Amino acid sequence: LKSNPSNNEEKEAQTQLTKSDELQRLHSQALSAYQQEDYEAAISLLDEILAVCVWDAELRELRAECYIKEGEPSKAISDLKAAAKLKNDNTEAFYKISRIYYQLGDHELSLSEVRECLKLDQDHKQCFSLYKQVKKLNKQIESAEEFIREGRYQDAINKYESVMKTEPDVPVYATRAKERICHCLSKNQQAAEAIKVCTEVLQLESTNVNALKDRAEAYLLEDLYEE
């Protein structure tokens, strides 16, 4: 503006400066809301800033944190994926994406993302620790599913019991393992055990279609047609 003043440019420059001041004010408010754990307000303010500062990785990471706190993991993943592309060697973003997928029960996507982290830094402690856990779980689930395809139902049951021991702290894996055990017991014509395990699954997820079908098969084996 100083090097080449003109009315038109001065007006444009003043507009940009005003907008810049406004965005800085919104940024301060967003940080304050985040620190006060008012994540909904922080998201709303960050939405306004990111509409202008589209390529700001740090703001996206902050909004992702707010989404996680608000229980909206899929939105957090979207922001973290953008942040991973916008910032070089963003191991932290890949680690967080992998952890979210893992907590959601998507072990395959979790494994894929944690591998991206280790490509950037093979000595990353958190990523390596998560990688070992997810890889072990993934291998057990793949092995159990292979047993089911081969009709080796008792082997599959044993393997899914190992899955529950490998990951006792994320409930979705125990529920999925029980669902598959219920399926194996039903297929193996162990009707009474199948009904028990399927019922446990349905107490956790009343609309689980697979457990309903497998329990129905078990009831047929027991001639309990009404059930």
Side-chain angles (χ1 to χ4, degrees), residues 50-202:
L50 280 160
V52 181
C53 308
V54 183
W55 313 116
D56 193 308
E58 262 132 39
L59 289 175
R60 287 192 176 274
E61 285 171 345
L62 181 61
R63 189 168 67 175
E65 281 299 312
C66 293
Y67 281 136
I68 291 166
K69 301 283 190 188
E70 284 288 286
E72 296 193 72
S74 57
K75 288 183 179 177
I77 287 170
S78 175
D79 266 343
L80 286 167
K81 283 193 169 178
K85 286 184 183 141
L86 292 166
K87 200 155 78 177
N88 285 340
D89 299 341
N90 197 343
T91 52
E92 196 58 30
F94 284 117
Y95 172 70
K96 284 180 181 175
I97 294 166
S98 179
R99 277 221 53 92
I100 293 169
Y101 277 133
Y102 185 73
Q103 295 291 328
L104 291 172
D106 201 327
H107 51 94
E108 289 170 334
L109 280 175
S110 176
L111 191 59
S112 167
E113 295 294 334
V114 81
R115 277 180 176 143
E116 290 301 318
C117 173
L118 290 171
K119 276 183 201 170
L120 296 171
D121 178 5
Q122 62 188 29
D123 298 321
H124 194 290
K125 281 185 182 171
Q126 286 177 306
C127 284
F128 187 66
S129 172
L130 180 60
Y131 171 71
K132 284 197 298 184
Q133 173 72 2
V134 185
K135 191 181 177 191
K136 182 180 178 183
L137 192 76
N138 196 57
K139 196 172 178 185
Q140 287 176 331
I141 292 170
E142 281 181 352
S143 175
E145 288 301 311
E146 184 61 33
F147 286 143
I148 290 172
R149 283 192 288 276
E150 292 169 4
R152 293 166 62 187
Y153 297 116
Q154 190 54 52
D155 288 334
I157 289 166
N158 295 343
K159 194 60 77 173
Y160 268 119
E161 282 170 351
S162 300
V163 167
M164 289 193 276
K165 286 182 189 139
T166 299
E167 184 43 83
D169 300 322
V170 182
V172 65
Y173 294 107
T175 306
R176 290 289 156 270
K178 282 183 179 179
E179 180 194 308
R180 299 306 277 156
I181 289 169
C182 142
H183 175 73
C184 292
L185 289 166
S186 182
K187 286 284 184 190
N188 219 26
Q189 303 205 332
Q190 293 168 262
E193 294 95 323
I195 290 164
K196 180 176 172 286
V197 177
C198 295
T199 301
E200 282 175 23
V201 176
L202 289 161

Side-chain angles (χ1 to χ4, degrees), residues 197-215:
V197 177
C198 295
T199 301
E200 282 175 23
V201 176
L202 289 161
Q203 282 166 349
L204 297 166
E205 292 181 350
S206 60
T207 56
N208 187 312
V209 175
N210 293 327
L212 285 166
K213 287 196 295 184
D214 289 321
R215 189 169 69 173

